Amino acid sequence: MAADSLAFPFTARVMGEKVDVVDSINSEYFGLDLVVLHQKNRYAIAAHCVELQKPLPDGHVYLAAYLRWRSRF
């Protein structure tokens, strides 16, 4: 799975805010959620809502492929 290939933690943006992505979970409804840390709070965000930032994390290509595949449904 794409999440198994990602190297945590890494930096990203959600709604323009800088966050640290620290983990992933499989969501019953949205497929893949990324667990983000923002101002000492943890949130599960749908992977397609997270904007990766440079330097891109190891495994980002697998995440991109997963999101592309998922967009077809």
Side-chain angles (χ1 to χ4, degrees):
M1 173 137 199
D4 296 336
S5 301
L6 284 173
F8 298 104
F10 60 88
T11 303
R13 289 198 177 272
V14 176
M15 296 179 62
E17 292 288 323
K18 183 178 174 183
V19 298
D20 292 317
V21 180
V22 295
D23 201 359
S24 66
I25 54 175
N26 288 322
S27 169
E28 181 178 342
Y29 302 104
F30 299 108
L32 178 66
D33 286 348
L34 296 177
V35 179
V36 301
L37 186 61
H38 179 61
Q39 297 180 353
K40 299 183 182 180
N41 295 310
R42 294 171 73 98
Y43 304 96
I45 306 291
H48 69 271
C49 295
V50 176
E51 180 184 342
L52 299 180
Q53 301 292 294
K54 290 185 180 182
L56 297 173
D58 290 343
H60 73 277
V61 174
Y62 296 100
L63 179 59
Y66 168 79
L67 292 174
R68 172 85 174 163
W69 171 79
R70 181 93 173 136
S71 72
R72 295 180 179 195
F73 297 105

